[in-house]
Amino acid sequence: MDGDTIQKELRRNRSTLVVVGLGVIAFGAWSVVKIVLMLLLDPDAFFETLGLTEIVSENAITRAVGFAVPGVFLALDLALRLFIGLRARREGLARKKAGMVYLVLACLLAVFTVWSDVSVLIQTLSAGEGIGASIVTYASKLSGTAGGDIDNAVVAIVVELTSLATMVELIVAAVRVKRFGRLAAAREA
Amino acid sequence: MQKDFHYYATYCAAYLAGYSHEESLVICYSAQFVDWCSKTLLSSLKAPLAAATTQLQLEMMDARTDPVGLQDITRIWASFHFLPRDLYAQRARCSKRYLHKYRLICGPNGDLAVDTVELAKGGSLQAAGVAMHVLADTWAHRNFAGTPSLVINNTDHYFYELLPDGAERHITFRHNPSAADDPEHSVYVSSIYQGSENSIMNLGHGRAGHLPDYSFIRYKYLPAWGDYEEIVKDNPADYRRAFGQMICAMKYLRGARDSFEKETYDTDAFAPWADEIDAILTKRQLDACADWKAFGEKLSGCEIPEFDVAAYQEEYRSAAKEQKDETFLGRFILAALAQKSMVTNKIYKSGSLLAGFSVDFEEKGLRGIRDYWKLAERMKGGAAE
């Protein structure tokens, strides 16, 4: 591969990193907005989705814990995505070193997401519902939202899959940037 | 390009091409007037609005971006400021819609540049001025298209100035139109990113700010159409070639040369002053008017008046209807109509509707747009003679 092609691919993948880095942050922010809105507007439906209805209805303390625990996980998820997204942008803008940590975390997050989605899918399918009901159930478990109709369910699934695709694209672009960066450095040496 | 080159440098080139001081003033005034002749100004003169050679910022804010509005915008900007280089350029694996926009990318030494100069042959000095503006802009505005298009004209954060000492400095763009450019820190104003393909913010070189219009700057960037190929823009070299090419073109228009060809630059004509011209072109300043003015006055020994947009307006307003075409602005308007008509026709014949339809009056027997009747009548009268 000649030097010009290497530089061109490096620029292309850095540009991708900048964009998908922002995308990862955006999806993290969207998750927060979605759950916060649910907790504000219809908390009972949210707890029902997570199977926590009985626990949170015991007393005020358990109810408070029922709000706090998802909040903590949300905050962790957002922090993780912020870190990954900002480091990816930093790598893409090529102004400072971004390290490998964000890439490792992105891989772990992607693997966890896939594992989680597949687990929920298996769980839904083994419940023995019809296809339409299965999609609705799956979407609601996936996104942590209440049941709803099939249109909302399809949208929810598409959003979740897009979020996963963005993360995968970030990983691929980051790996390519590192690869072409090494090639470019080797040529200069 | 801006007034320093369109007015003062064009005067210098005209003088070096052999025009007299007075003739050079007419040519350079007309070249600069291309940046002022908007529909608003024409409307105030009750002149044909189709002769507009530019759009004011306020006009662009109100401009429609439906297909008809886009055609109107493209007709003006592609005809006078972003002359397409190759209307039959090929690009692999793209849609027809993209290809038509790709073909509007401006560049020097294209067939249309030759057509522009030849159109002015035998015409008025105002026509020569219009042609010089168009020719000069093919160098400054190369790699941008005169149609609102995100996928062609967009740029991104990858923008570096190539400094004289060989270093590179990242260019920061800010989007405050009232802020001044700061070349010492490479901070410049550009239009804000707009994700809409046909947004007016994506017209021409807006996303690169005024960088193409500064003669001193060299920079590299990634244009949206470039597929991540780096483009290096060397403005001093391009402006030098533009100057040499204008001299060639004007010698041809005067009859001192038999033809005007691509890739020819009359460097001999300005060789005695090459260092002085290079010093003007490479001086880090946002406005080189004073330097070019001083150079022009030194060349001719005569004073070059400041550009006054209102200089010839009263003449046009007070002329009788049948005599308006013989006034200064009347001749300019005819030249502008002819240039716009020619370029629109060429774009239309290439299979693109981005500049709208182009009707051949003689062939089709149609009347078309009223503003162009006078042009057709002149051409008919010229043919009869």
Side-chain angles (χ1 to χ4, degrees), chain A residues 7-8 11-12 14-16 18 92-93 95, chain B residues 156-158 160 170 222 226-230:
Chain A
Q7 289 296 334
K8 189 171 142 179
R11 285 191 289 265
R12 185 197 304 279
R14 277 184 174 149
S15 180
T16 302
V18 171
L93 293 172
R95 290 190 206 141
Chain B
D156 64 5
H157 62 275
Y158 189 94
Y160 295 90
H170 184 252
L222 304 179
D227 196 26
Y228 297 96
E229 295 275 0
E230 199 177 70

Side-chain angles (χ1 to χ4, degrees), chain B residues 27-99:
Chain B
I27 291 172
C28 73
Y29 185 97
S30 303
Q32 177 59 17
F33 196 71
V34 173
D35 276 342
W36 285 88
C37 186
S38 62
K39 282 188 180 171
T40 305
L41 186 140
L42 290 167
S43 180
S44 71
L45 297 173
K46 295 188 174 44
L49 299 185
T53 59
T54 191
Q55 288 178 297
L56 302 175
Q57 278 197 333
L58 288 176
E59 289 174 354
M60 285 198 282
M61 275 169 56
D62 285 340
R64 289 159 30 203
T65 50
D66 56 10
V68 172
L70 288 173
Q71 285 169 354
D72 192 39
I73 292 169
T74 305
R75 266 197 296 277
I76 291 173
W77 293 94
S79 300
F80 298 102
H81 306 278
F82 296 90
L83 196 71
R85 185 172 183 278
D86 184 358
L87 288 175
Y88 298 91
Q90 293 299 324
R91 189 172 169 102
R93 293 196 304 273
C94 68
S95 65
K96 212 169 179 180
R97 195 171 158 215
Y98 181 90
L99 184 63

